[in-house]
């Protein structure tokens, strides 16, 4: 047999276009349109951040990552850390996003525009949604320890570590619950300012929690007072974002525009629709798998905003 | 207890890497506490509360006398014995460099090859090139590659048949093979190329002119306990008269000469008699058992001497495994029992709707369904009826969603489930739909998590159907193995969780769908 190959290791080959030309599957609805330039701001294994000279940040993701509103997701996994480097020039055009000198090109022409499924006020308290919420809480309990999320431990009232972060979270959250329930905008924003940029990680845990909390607020905001509180929180949080990393800031901007990540949105929608257990399990697992503890921290924020007994009563009451 | 810190400007690492770094530093001798965090104000406040002395740090450089740190800077703080601190910080920086990008750490990266010739100069032992360029350039690249003495796997489509014939003649004259054009799958020496599955190595060699047909056979061989020596794709036009089956004949020669191949399997749609005679003649002279499946051809007319005709892809795999194990070939099984507990169809629910990502699965489904019903399809098989509108089903309909009509400007349906999900939502609106028939293809190249895309769509489809007082029955099969990146078991579990009935093969799924319709309309 004369087809012996030089390598003995299985290789995963890109199957469309050349080695550095990959199709994009989706373009987030907050990715800027038109032609722009920028540079690679950060490179990770399965994603890379592009800082556009207009000041906006676009994240390009491999197919295993969840979609985000300011992100372009490719149809394939790609080792960004092996192909790109920080500072590399990037050109974003209507039909492609091109990195460096042909290092990677994402073809955008076949990608659909992705918009999160969550829309404000879609949550209805019913037996189905209450049951789904309860199941999600139980599922998150199972993940609490392994996720290392101090926020999740506090929100679910589990055994907490004796870290300063845990103490700080425990000091802030009960007050945040009361302030937000009474729609006290100033007090709520003051407490949120203590969480923003707080904690380990590129997207600090406090920011992830706030994003989840905003998702919960948006999901259940129906009455005029709730909607105006939500608007005030979004505007206020926008003003706080300078205190955190630019990567996290982009996620917070999305959240303040009520554009939450795919995984968080899908989980919210599933709870509100009272989807079956199997689906909730897979969605919770997907959410918790985001980052080191980012997914769990955001889930904690969501649970914090959607207390088990309904929108009136709260465990911190 | 002393504290020392370092600021690394505009350094991003993902959360996992930062936490691992913190944990690793805290374990160093003489270090009691360590933290690697982004330099946000709240994180600085937290570090101060933790008793870590970072007094010399200032947010945002507001005070020029102090070292500045910002939210986009990485801050590493270590606390412990004074003598251990500089070493710990040096260790932290070394760890960051070790996992960092070559360009960031100052290493010079060699320029990646820009041509096959450059790649060959770097790897002189290579003897196969996979070409995946737009079709208009593919033939020229393939010709250059052949002239460099390399075998070619030509993934590109839109290469004309005369160009294909020319390339294959050149390859034959040089003792090489061209797999393709439009060759979507191959497994060479255990290495999956393009769309291919992770299968056990063994003594069954296969040559296939149909991509998903070759995938199905290799997967079923694996599931039946056999293994694959080589799986050689030829491209779907290889057996046309103009091309003359050159690659299938070459592949057959390779497998005949290959000491690791005990049984050969040939997979194709039926060729012309002239080409069939050439291939069967060469197969007879191989001296090895050869299983032949010319989908839609009369299997009995193929059988004789060392040739074993098969009706379905599953039969072909079963025959090959039996022959490789020196067992008497087991008879083809056509009976598929209806599993208990499936819902009763409402009156008016009478049609099968097959939505396939694999062209050969669509072909085989059309072929098998036609045994007892009239079938509309965009794949012409025997007496199948054409669809008036490919985007709208009529009667029993089986659609190959990989058809150019559907994939123009978008990825193949094995990668992108959008089109199929939209079509499922469309089908369930039709009160005459009785059974939804699907395939799910795993392996390299395919969607990373098909069940995550399909499951919500199937749950929604079930709800829609049931809300309208109808039954939702979805039957399908997964072409994949546990070794595939997606994992067969987890995909199957997720899909079964939606109520989807999974069978072991495409043929079984089609026969089950046919059986369900037959019972309901009896």
């Amino acid at each position: 047999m004369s087809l012996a190959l030089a390598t003995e290791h299985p290789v995963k080959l890109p199957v469309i276009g050349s080695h550095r030309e990959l199709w994009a599957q989706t373009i987030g609805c907050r990715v800027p349109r038109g032609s722009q330039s920028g540079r690679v701001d950060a490179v990770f294994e399965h994603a890379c951040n592009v800082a556009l000279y207009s000041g906006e940040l676009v994240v390009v993701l491999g197919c295993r990552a969840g979609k985000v509103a300011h992100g372009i997701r490719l149809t394939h996994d790609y080792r960004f850390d092996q192909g790109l480097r920080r500072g590399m020039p990037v050109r974003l055009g209507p039909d492609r996003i091109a990195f460096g000198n042909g290092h990677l090109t994402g073809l955008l022409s076949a990608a659909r525009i992705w918009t999160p499924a969550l829309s404000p006020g879609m949550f209805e308290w019913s037996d189905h949604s209450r049951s789904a919420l309860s199941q999600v809480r139980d599922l998150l309990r199972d993940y609490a320890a392994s996720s290392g999320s101090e926020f999740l431990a506090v929100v679910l009232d589990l055994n907490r570590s004796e870290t300063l972060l845990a103490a700080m979270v425990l000091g802030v959250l009960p007050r945040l619950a009361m302030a937000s329930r009474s729609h006290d905008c100033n007090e709520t924003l003051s407490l949120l300012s203590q969480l923003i940029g707080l904690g380990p990680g590129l997207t600090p845990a406090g920011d992830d929690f706030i994003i989840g909390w905003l998702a919960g607020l948006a999901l259940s905001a129906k009455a005029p007072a709730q909607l105006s509180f939500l608007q005030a929180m979004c505007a206020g949080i926008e003003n706080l974002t300078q205190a955190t990393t630019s990567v996290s800031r982009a996620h917070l901007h999305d959240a303040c525009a009520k554009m939450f990540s795919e995984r968080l949105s899908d989980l919210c929608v599933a709870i509100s629709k009272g989807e079956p257990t199997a689906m909730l399990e897979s969605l919770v697992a997907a959410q918790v798998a985001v980052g080191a503890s980012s997914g769990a921290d955001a889930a904690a924020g969501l649970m914090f905003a959607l207390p088990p007994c309904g929108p009136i009563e709260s465990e911190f009451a | 207890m002393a504290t020392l810190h370092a600021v690394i400007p505009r350094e991003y690492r993902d959360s996992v890497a930062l936490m691992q770094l913190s944990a690793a530093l805290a374990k160093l001798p003489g270090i009691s506490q360590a933290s690697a965090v982004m330099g946000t104000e709240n994180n600085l406040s937290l570090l101060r509360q933790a008793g870590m002395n970072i007094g010399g740090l200032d947010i945002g450089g507001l005070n020029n006398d102090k070292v500045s740190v910002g939210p986009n800077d990485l801050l590493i703080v270590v606390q412990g014995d004074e003598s251990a601190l500089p070493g710990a910080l040096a260790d932290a920086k070394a760890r960051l460099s070790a996992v960092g990008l070559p360009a960031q750490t100052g290493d010079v990266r060699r320029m990646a090859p820009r041509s096959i010739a450059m790649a060959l100069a770097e790897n002189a032992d290579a003897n196969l090139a996979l070409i995946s360029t737009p079709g208009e350039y593919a033939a020229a690249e393939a010709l250059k590659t052949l002239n460099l003495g390399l075998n070619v796997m030509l993934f590109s489509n839109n290469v004309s048949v005369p160009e294909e014939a020319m390339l294959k003649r050149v390859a034959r004259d040089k003792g090489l093979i061209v797999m393709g054009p439009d060759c979507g799958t191959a497994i060479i020496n255990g290495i999956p190329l393009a769309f291919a599955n992770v299968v056990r190595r063994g003594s069954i060699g296969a040559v296939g002119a149909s991509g998903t047909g070759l995938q199905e056979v290799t997967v079923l061989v694996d599931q039946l306990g056999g293994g694959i020596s080589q799986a050689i794709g030829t491209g779907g036009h290889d057996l046309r008269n103009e091309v003359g089956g050159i690659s299938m004949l070459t592949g057959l020669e390779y497998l005949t000469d290959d000491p690791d191949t005990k049984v050969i399997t040939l997979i194709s749609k039926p060729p012309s008699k002239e080409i069939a005679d050439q291939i069967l003649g060469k197969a007879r002279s191989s001296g090895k058992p050869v299983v032949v499946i010319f989908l839609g051809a009369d299997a009995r007319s193929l059988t004789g001497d060392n040739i074993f005709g098969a009706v379905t892809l599953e039969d072909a795999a079963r025959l090959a495994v039996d022959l490789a194990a020196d067992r008497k070939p087991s008879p083809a099984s056509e009976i598929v029992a209806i599993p208990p507990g499936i819902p009763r169809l409402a009156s008016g629910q009478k049609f099968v709707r097959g939505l396939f990502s694999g062209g050969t699965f669509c072909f085989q489904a059309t072929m098998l369904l036609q045994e007892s019903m009239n079938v509309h399809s965009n794949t012409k098989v025997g007496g199948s009826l054409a669809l008036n509108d490919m985007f709208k089903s009529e009667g029993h309909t089986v659609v190959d969603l990989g058809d150019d009509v559907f994939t123009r400007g978008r990825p193949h349906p094995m990668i992108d489930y959008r089109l199929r999900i939209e079509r499922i939502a469309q089908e369930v609106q039709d009160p005459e739909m009785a059974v939804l028939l699907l395939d799910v293809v795993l392996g390299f190249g395919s969607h990373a998590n098909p069940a995550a895309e399909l499951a919500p769509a199937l749950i929604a489809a079930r709800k829609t159907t049931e809300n309208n007082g109808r039954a939702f029955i979805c039957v399908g099969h997964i072409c994949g193995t546990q070794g595939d990146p997606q994992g067969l078991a987890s995909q199957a579990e997720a899909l079964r969780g939606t109520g989807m009935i999974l069978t072991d093969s495409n043929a079984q799924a089609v026969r089950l769908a046919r059986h369900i319709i037959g019972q309901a309309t009896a």
Side-chain angles (χ1 to χ4, degrees):
Chain A
M1 184 87 183
S2 61
L3 282 173
L5 291 179
T7 172
E8 291 182 352
H9 302 291
V11 284
K12 187 175 180 184
L13 295 169
V15 293
I16 296 173
S18 71
H19 196 77
R20 295 180 187 80
E21 205 167 72
L22 296 173
W23 288 103
Q25 185 191 45
T26 54
I27 304 173
C29 56
R30 283 170 60 83
V31 172
R33 305 297 152 76
S35 298
Q36 294 211 41
S37 297
R39 59 174 173 71
V40 174
D41 193 43
V43 188
F44 310 103
E45 200 172 322
H46 299 297
C48 102
N49 292 326
V50 175
L52 297 172
Y53 294 134
S54 60
E56 289 159 298
L57 188 131
V58 172
V59 58
V60 182
L61 304 152
C63 65
R64 288 168 197 262
K67 300 171 193 127
V68 294
H70 63 285
I72 294 169
R73 189 165 78 162
L74 304 175
T75 53
H76 280 73
D77 224 359
Y78 179 78
R79 282 296 299 266
F80 292 89
D81 57 339
Q82 291 180 0
L84 306 181
R85 61 184 164 77
R86 210 165 91 191
M88 197 175 255
V90 180
R91 294 176 308 285
L92 174 63
D95 66 340
R96 63 190 55 217
I97 181 166
F99 292 82
N101 185 19
H103 288 75
L104 171 68
T105 301
L107 303 171
L108 307 180
S109 56
R112 73 181 151 138
I113 305 297
W114 177 78
T115 305
L118 190 160
S119 53
M122 72 189 298
F123 192 75
E124 297 284 353
W125 281 100
S126 66
D127 287 346
H128 289 303
S129 60
R130 207 181 299 271
S131 161
L133 182 57
S134 166
Q135 287 182 68
V136 168
R137 272 182 178 270
D138 289 343
L139 289 165
L140 286 170
R141 281 179 205 282
D142 296 338
Y143 286 106
S146 59
S147 73
S149 167
E150 308 278 18
F151 282 93
L152 199 54
V154 171
V155 169
L156 298 180
D157 199 21
L158 301 172
N159 289 335
R160 298 160 200 137
S161 59
E162 294 178 354
T163 64
L164 262 176
L165 179 61
M168 182 172 272
V169 171
L170 193 55
V172 171
L173 293 199
R175 289 190 288 146
L176 180 63
M178 284 190 280
S180 62
R181 203 174 318 118
S182 60
H183 293 168
D184 182 341
C185 294
N186 290 337
E187 175 65 4
T188 306
L189 285 171
S190 165
L191 291 163
L192 291 176
S193 73
Q194 295 178 41
L195 299 181
I196 208 139
L198 176 70
L202 183 61
T203 55
D207 299 355
D208 294 320
F209 174 85
I210 291 171
I211 288 169
W213 177 73
L214 273 179
L217 279 192
L219 195 62
S220 55
K222 286 181 190 296
Q226 290 173 310
L227 288 166
S228 70
F229 180 68
L230 174 64
Q231 279 311 110
M233 287 304 102
C234 290
I237 291 167
E238 283 277 13
N239 292 331
L240 298 175
T241 58
Q242 288 306 318
T244 190
T245 68
S246 57
V247 175
S248 196
R249 199 178 306 145
H251 288 288
L252 282 164
H253 285 324
D254 283 354
C256 290
K258 278 83 100 185
M259 295 290 171
F260 301 94
S261 69
E262 178 188 29
R263 293 181 184 183
L264 187 59
S265 295
D266 288 354
L267 180 58
C268 290
V269 173
I271 293 171
S272 63
K273 288 186 175 175
E275 294 288 8
T277 306
M279 191 164 175
L280 295 173
E281 283 173 352
S282 67
L283 291 171
V284 168
Q287 173 62 25
V288 172
V290 175
S293 67
S294 292
D297 292 323
L302 178 64
M303 292 299 103
F304 185 72
L306 296 175
C309 304
I312 304 301
E313 301 162 79
S314 157
E315 64 196 58
F316 292 108
Chain B
M1 195 76 72
T3 305
L4 198 62
H5 63 258
V7 175
I8 306 180
R10 294 196 65 74
E11 178 68 42
Y12 291 107
R13 292 302 156 109
D14 65 40
S15 305
V16 179
L18 291 183
M19 288 180 186
Q20 286 172 342
L21 180 63
S22 300
L25 294 178
K27 286 181 187 165
L28 292 175
I31 302 298
S32 57
Q33 263 197 98
S35 186
V37 293
M38 302 308 291
T40 64
E41 194 166 355
N42 277 327
N43 277 343
L44 261 61
S45 164
L46 197 65
L47 291 169
R48 289 193 183 101
Q49 287 180 50
M52 292 176 127
N53 177 15
I54 46 170
L57 276 175
D58 174 45
I59 280 286
L62 296 175
N63 181 340
N64 290 332
D65 296 335
K66 294 182 177 178
V67 176
S68 140
V69 63
N72 292 323
D73 303 328
L74 176 59
L75 174 63
I76 302 169
V77 189
V78 286
Q79 190 174 54
D81 299 340
E82 195 163 358
S83 59
L85 302 182
L89 282 185
D91 187 279
K93 288 175 182 172
R95 284 170 191 269
L96 285 170
S97 298
V99 297
L101 298 166
Q104 284 176 297
T105 54
D107 288 353
V108 177
R109 290 191 72 181
R110 192 165 46 181
M111 192 173 86
R114 309 278 297 175
S115 67
I116 301 275
M118 281 176 71
L120 191 60
E122 286 185 16
N123 190 350
D125 293 334
N127 69 350
L128 184 146
L130 193 157
I131 295 176
S132 178
T133 64
E136 58 205 290
Y137 310 114
E141 289 302 321
L143 190 57
K144 281 190 272 182
T145 306
L146 290 169
N147 287 330
L148 288 167
L150 300 181
N151 297 290
V152 170
M153 178 171 179
L154 194 49
F155 184 82
S156 312
N157 58 3
N158 294 321
V159 174
S160 69
V161 173
E163 283 176 325
E164 177 177 349
M166 175 273 292
L167 289 171
K168 290 185 170 177
R169 282 195 291 269
V170 169
R172 183 178 57 192
D173 293 346
K174 291 175 177 290
L176 301 170
I177 189 169
V178 174
M179 297 188 281
D182 204 10
C183 178
T185 185
I187 303 171
I188 305 298
N189 296 333
I191 298 175
L193 298 173
F195 289 97
N197 302 88
V198 179
V199 297
R200 192 182 299 111
R201 295 209 70 186
S203 60
I204 297 169
V207 190
S210 73
T212 40
L214 190 55
Q215 278 190 268
E216 173 88 328
V217 169
T218 57
V219 160
L220 290 173
V221 162
D222 181 274
Q223 289 175 1
L224 292 165
I228 297 295
S229 57
Q230 312 287 346
I232 300 169
T234 66
H237 295 152
D238 186 65
L239 272 64
R240 284 173 66 154
N241 283 352
E242 302 94 308
V243 184
I246 292 174
S247 293
M248 184 163 278
L249 290 166
T250 306
L252 190 48
E253 281 172 21
Y254 283 157
L255 297 179
T256 300
D257 295 342
D258 178 21
D260 295 331
T261 298
K262 186 174 173 184
V263 176
I264 299 170
T265 305
L266 305 178
I267 305 150
S268 172
K269 292 165 193 167
S272 67
K273 183 172 183 316
E274 182 189 347
I275 303 294
D277 286 347
Q278 277 190 54
I279 288 168
L280 293 173
K282 183 148 264 183
R284 274 191 199 94
S285 64
S286 69
K288 294 183 178 182
V290 182
V291 177
V292 179
I293 173 163
F294 288 154
L295 272 166
D298 177 9
R300 280 172 301 185
S301 69
L302 300 171
T303 303
D305 303 325
N306 60 331
I307 310 285
F308 299 82
V311 176
T312 65
L313 298 164
E314 183 184 359
D315 295 340
R318 195 177 297 281
L319 273 170
V321 171
D322 284 342
L323 291 165
D326 296 321
R327 288 195 296 262
K328 189 180 168 193
S330 47
S333 169
E334 293 194 6
I335 298 168
V336 180
I338 296 178
I342 67 167
R344 191 182 174 84
L345 292 169
S347 64
Q349 284 190 277
K350 51 190 176 183
F351 294 129
V352 175
R353 297 289 156 81
L355 305 176
F356 290 98
S357 59
T360 312
F361 294 141
C362 180
F363 190 99
Q364 182 169 261
T366 309
M367 178 187 96
L368 294 175
L369 287 174
Q370 275 190 148
E371 290 173 2
S372 60
M373 53 184 72
N374 291 322
V375 180
H376 292 80
S377 178
N378 59 343
T379 301
K380 181 70 184 157
V381 184
S384 66
L385 306 168
L387 282 161
N388 288 318
D389 176 357
M390 282 205 216
F391 292 86
K392 193 168 186 311
S393 298
E394 47 191 306
H396 300 292
T397 294
V398 180
V399 185
D400 171 14
L401 294 172
D403 190 303
D404 288 347
V405 171
F406 299 113
T407 58
R408 201 164 291 139
R410 64 163 78 196
H412 193 276
M414 283 187 207
I415 302 167
D416 182 348
Y417 275 68
R418 265 183 302 164
L419 183 65
R420 183 144 57 164
I421 286 167
E422 287 163 11
R423 186 73 180 244
I424 289 170
Q426 180 185 319
E427 296 295 348
V428 297
Q429 299 295 335
D430 182 350
E432 293 187 318
M433 190 202 83
V435 180
L436 184 66
L437 191 54
L438 302 176
D439 63 352
V440 177
V441 182
L442 307 183
F444 291 109
S446 292
H447 191 288
N449 188 355
E453 296 273 354
L454 265 183
L458 294 178
I459 288 169
R462 176 163 52 83
K463 274 191 176 169
T464 304
T465 319
E466 289 173 356
N467 287 344
N468 286 308
R470 290 181 267 123
F472 180 69
I473 302 176
C474 177
V475 179
H477 95 293
I478 301 176
C479 177
T481 68
Q482 191 52 31
D484 284 331
Q486 302 89 345
L488 176 62
S490 59
Q491 291 291 311
E493 188 185 350
L495 291 173
R496 283 201 181 98
T498 71
M500 183 177 181
I501 303 165
L502 287 175
T503 61
D504 292 338
S505 71
N506 167 259
Q508 285 186 30
V510 176
R511 284 174 171 146
L512 177 57
R514 197 176 65 186
H515 198 165
I516 291 168
I517 296 289
Q519 289 243 316
T521 54

